[in-house]
Amino acid sequence: MSRSRRSLVLAAVAAVLALSGMPAQAADIPPPDTVVTSPNVTHVLNVPKPAPIAATINTDLAFQGDYAYVGNYGGFSIYDISNPKKVTPVSSVVCPGAQMDVSVYGDLLFTAVDSSRNNDSCSSTGQSASIKESWEGVRIFDVSDKTNPRYIKSVETNCGSHTLTLVPGKGRDRLRNVYIYVSSYLPADNFPDCAPPHDKISIIKVPLRDPAAAAVASTPVVFPDGGNETQPGLLLPTTGCHDITVYAEKDIAAGACMGDGVLFDISDRLNPKVTARTTDPNFAFWHSATFSNDARKVVFTDELGGGGAATCNEATGPNRGADAIYEIVKGQLVFKSYFKISRYQADSENCVAHNGSLIPVKGRDIMVQAWYMGGVSIWDFTDGARPREIGYFDRGPRADGSGGGVWSAYYYNGYIYGADFHHGLDVLKISDPLTDSARFVRTDRLNTQTQESYRGRGHGHG
């Protein structure tokens, strides 16, 4: 969250979540700052945040070749992961602006800024969105030289860019352009560039041969009649989308849009069409989405409490703050079940479903997922009605009593990488009969919100 939005969300958290009831069982909670794992998970390595951005929190991850890109409220870092047991930082770029979601394509790195700034430079400072000249949106970097990334372009978008999703072009256009779906929300009457109604997304068209010419090409309205605004227990009424995951080769996308879950037809990249929409009385804030490899299921996450509350406890229960698994039947979303980690966390630990990705196991649906201070969960939803956790990594409460945890956890070429707010980059490995075949799958790029099928990507298992 950012600027005045963060204070609004925190106020909503206090109003929606008055946590009470029985605390988590002390015997089930690791000692402060202590790492615990299931027997099939190994904590391979922790790499502290590089000094230039050590004071600000880590956020999202993207991968290309032998490199990991780690977003951070203060900028981003590039790591050499050619040897996952000896990961090393290559460079850090100080360029503040929450949240710094990252996606990489060729020599271009795209970063999301949802923090109103006094200008678009990397030396900018925070400035109220009520000032017309304030800037927020997307920054584009040339990362051809990993030791010295170069800032080449900014694109301002209405209400900033809370998250961004990279969408390849179709057919011959794939060689010419890439598109960025920008999710943003929380307009206000006194924000000149973010006034209500804001029930839309922004789409940036980036010419690959001339990325400096990138510009907003369309702003399709997702909710022409308004979104879910009155459901009891909502963190915030729908005023746009929080995050979108595209499955470009299948021309579909799933939108996590605050109070609504949405499916899109994206066959026309600049004009996505809503094909299905749903709500859930147990969901407070539709946060993100992940398709199964065959695109017959989609997992939506709920960021109950806005990421700042202790919702992984007995008082909250198993159905709120959980993932929701849907089957896609004749183009519509059919609810199957919830999944939530059963490992209770201390009431000092902010814990909620957050960013994750599939582990590429042929014939099964297995996901790795961050849960903030609930750590990292590996879980199987092959049977959408009966999901189960098969492995985990967790740290105990922070000794200083502050919040934090793992923001995002993704599987890439044999290992799991987790971006922890404070601890830096964690490298994990799962060794389990259910996931061992994934070691045969190799890819040269991973932007989690840009899903690609395993087929045709070199897997060697039968």
Side-chain angles (χ1 to χ4, degrees):
M1 306 292 176
S2 63
R3 61 174 189 205
S4 59
R5 295 177 189 168
R6 186 169 184 84
S7 60
L8 285 169
V9 169
L10 291 176
V13 170
V16 173
L17 267 175
L19 287 178
S20 61
M22 294 178 63
Q25 295 298 313
D28 299 331
I29 298 169
D33 295 327
T34 300
V35 168
V36 294
T37 68
S38 56
N40 58 353
V41 172
T42 302
H43 187 204
V44 177
L45 187 69
N46 173 263
V47 186
K49 291 181 291 184
I53 56 172
T56 42
I57 68 171
N58 279 343
T59 59
D60 209 7
L61 292 155
F63 303 87
Q64 190 171 54
D66 289 333
Y67 297 94
Y69 300 83
V70 182
N72 180 288
Y73 269 53
F76 65 89
S77 295
I78 303 176
Y79 293 79
D80 182 337
I81 59 171
S82 56
N83 182 348
K85 297 178 181 179
K86 296 181 179 180
V87 172
T88 55
V90 176
S91 62
S92 292
V93 173
V94 176
C95 198
Q99 297 183 139
M100 291 301 286
D101 270 18
V102 289
S103 284
V104 63
Y105 194 87
D107 290 333
L108 301 177
L109 182 73
F110 303 92
T111 66
V113 180
D114 188 31
S115 166
S116 188
R117 319 295 297 174
N118 66 335
N119 59 58
D120 66 349
S121 74
C122 286
S123 59
S124 65
T125 57
Q127 177 172 284
S128 172
S130 64
I131 301 172
K132 173 63 179 174
E133 291 74 24
S134 296
W135 179 90
E136 55 186 327
V138 173
R139 295 182 179 128
I140 306 174
F141 293 83
D142 181 328
V143 292
S144 54
D145 181 354
K146 304 296 184 291
T147 65
N148 187 30
R150 183 172 59 91
Y151 183 15
I152 58 175
K153 173 71 175 180
S154 73
V155 180
E156 186 171 12
T157 57
N158 293 144
C159 298
S161 177
H162 194 72
T163 62
L164 56 77
T165 304
L166 188 145
V167 190
K170 287 190 66 176
R172 293 181 180 179
D173 187 49
R174 189 182 184 96
L175 301 176
R176 296 191 292 264
N177 298 294
V178 68
Y179 301 87
I180 306 296
Y181 286 7
V182 174
S183 295
S184 56
Y185 56 93
L186 268 181
D189 289 329
N190 64 328
F191 294 168
D193 297 320
C194 183
H198 180 77
D199 291 318
K200 61 187 179 182
I201 63 174
S202 298
I203 301 179
I204 299 171
K205 182 178 182 179
V206 184
L208 293 172
R209 293 183 180 178
D210 184 16
V216 174
S218 69
T219 53
V221 176
V222 180
F223 303 105
D225 300 319
N228 183 10
E229 299 176 354
T230 59
Q231 175 185 307
L234 284 181
L235 179 65
L236 294 164
T238 299
T239 56
C241 290
H242 177 272
D243 204 0
I244 295 172
T245 293
V246 301
Y247 207 146
E249 67 196 71
K250 297 181 183 294
D251 285 335
I252 58 173
C257 300
M258 305 181 72
D260 298 80
V262 175
L263 291 181
F264 297 94
D265 177 340
I266 61 166
S267 52
D268 180 348
R269 297 293 194 253
L270 289 174
N271 189 29
K273 298 289 190 182
V274 174
T275 59
R277 177 179 162 193
T278 191
T279 60
D280 185 323
N282 280 318
F283 261 45
F285 191 84
W286 295 69
H287 177 271
S288 57
T290 302
F291 288 102
S292 60
N293 185 52
D294 62 9
R296 294 178 181 176
K297 300 190 200 80
V298 60
V299 174
F300 285 102
T301 69
D302 177 19
E303 195 179 46
L304 177 66
T311 69
C312 299
N313 54 17
E314 188 174 3
T316 305
N319 294 339
R320 300 185 66 233
D323 299 325
I325 304 162
Y326 286 82
E327 287 187 354
I328 302 174
V329 181
K330 296 181 179 180
Q332 299 303 301
L333 292 163
V334 178
F335 174 79
K336 299 302 292 183
S337 69
Y338 296 114
F339 170 78
K340 187 175 182 180
I341 60 172
S342 59
R343 294 169 285 106
Y344 287 153
Q345 305 295 302
D347 290 340
S348 64
E349 294 182 277
N350 57 300
C351 174
V352 74
H354 219 244
N355 292 358
S357 70
L358 297 183
I359 296 180
V361 178
K362 186 177 181 181
R364 301 200 70 86
D365 300 318
I366 298 177
M367 187 170 175
V368 55
Q369 184 178 7
W371 285 79
Y372 279 167
M373 292 197 75
V376 177
S377 175
I378 301 114
W379 60 288
D380 187 331
F381 64 102
T382 306
D383 182 345
R386 295 176 179 81
R388 63 190 182 96
E389 184 173 76
I390 63 171
Y392 66 86
F393 162 88
D394 193 8
R395 281 190 176 92
R398 288 178 60 79
D400 62 7
S402 65
V406 183
W407 179 289
S408 50
Y410 305 140
Y411 180 96
Y412 181 71
N413 290 349
Y415 290 81
I416 295 167
Y417 297 86
D420 188 284
F421 281 47
H422 305 296
H423 290 280
L425 184 65
D426 286 305
V427 184
L428 314 175
K429 190 171 182 62
I430 181 169
S431 299
D432 190 281
L434 287 175
T435 60
D436 286 347
S437 63
R439 69 183 184 274
F440 295 109
V441 180
R442 287 292 182 270
T443 183
D444 59 2
R445 183 177 62 245
L446 178 66
N447 298 303
T448 299
Q449 289 90 350
T450 309
Q451 277 192 241
E452 297 178 76
S453 66
Y454 312 153
R455 183 171 45 201
R457 288 172 60 185
H459 62 73
H461 48 89

